[in-house]
Amino acid sequence: MTIPAHSDTADDRTDFALRPPAYLVSKRAIWYWTARTPLRWIPVIVAQVIWWVIDDGDSQWRWPIAIATLVLLALNTIIEPQWRYRVHRWEVTDTAVYTQSGWFTQERRIAPLSRVQTVDLERGPIQQLFKLAEVTVTTASAAGPLKITGLDRPVAEQVIRDLTASAEAAQDDAT
């Protein structure tokens, strides 16, 4: 499998434009994020159940808060995955790795291939159910690693192979 290469590569290896990456993640990432979202709400739901159990029944706020929680959970489960899918992008060129991620807070990052130190592939249990993987590109940046979440497993494996070959071929020291 070949990862599509962006046709606009910089002539000067230090000329990196902060631009949107070219490729969306897998459509299955929507289902992955949908399945993951309710898991984050478990502490809120548990706290409300405990409140209901220990409350003497006089509180008039139990039902409105429970309904608000369920409405927010439903909206979060429906909206967040779609929004994230539209935002999350990635691209690997001959000179750099580009990522864009987030939903409320969005982040766009570039890592020159000459600065790549490690490339990792991760597949958690929920990712495995959806045949997805996450690629982590570690550099010497204080901002931390770049993560490409929601890639189809074969695409992620090809990205790993391509990045490893490019990093090995880079003449600069990755520090």
Side-chain angles (χ1 to χ4, degrees):
M1 164 178 282
T2 302
I3 301 298
H6 192 274
S7 60
D8 298 330
T9 57
D11 292 332
D12 179 7
R13 290 182 58 88
T14 61
D15 182 28
F16 300 105
L18 190 57
R19 59 174 175 73
Y23 308 111
L24 289 169
V25 297
S26 170
K27 272 234 179 243
R28 284 196 304 271
I30 296 170
W31 294 107
Y32 165 67
W33 289 318
T34 300
R36 226 178 56 161
T37 298
L39 298 176
R40 293 191 316 249
W41 283 80
I42 289 174
V44 173
I45 294 168
V46 167
Q48 287 186 14
V49 168
I50 291 170
W51 177 32
W52 278 56
V53 169
I54 64 172
D55 189 18
D56 60 10
D58 291 338
S59 178
Q60 61 190 21
W61 292 103
R62 289 191 327 186
W63 280 108
I65 290 175
I67 292 169
T69 299
L70 292 176
V71 168
L72 290 172
L73 170 62
L75 288 173
N76 187 218
T77 303
I78 294 166
I79 294 170
E80 179 188 358
Q82 297 290 330
W83 193 339
R84 287 176 66 128
Y85 177 73
R86 287 177 178 83
V87 172
H88 280 237
R89 295 178 177 273
W90 68 278
E91 182 176 0
V92 177
T93 68
D94 294 337
T95 57
V97 178
Y98 295 78
T99 63
Q100 179 176 297
S101 61
W103 72 294
F104 273 133
T105 302
Q106 297 177 9
E107 177 181 66
R108 191 177 291 167
R109 297 188 54 201
I110 302 170
L113 289 181
S114 62
R115 298 294 181 203
V116 172
Q117 293 178 330
T118 63
V119 181
D120 302 305
L121 180 92
E122 181 181 335
R123 296 184 65 232
I126 299 174
Q127 289 170 319
Q128 290 179 44
L129 286 173
F130 292 99
K131 299 178 181 154
L132 297 172
E134 177 176 286
V135 173
T136 302
V137 180
T138 305
T139 67
S141 170
L146 280 76
K147 293 184 181 268
I148 308 170
T149 302
L151 294 178
D152 288 322
R153 183 178 175 189
V155 172
E157 290 171 347
Q158 184 63 46
V159 167
I160 295 283
R161 283 191 295 274
D162 291 350
L163 283 173
T164 301
S166 296
E168 286 175 354
Q171 296 176 2
D172 297 334
D173 182 22
T175 57

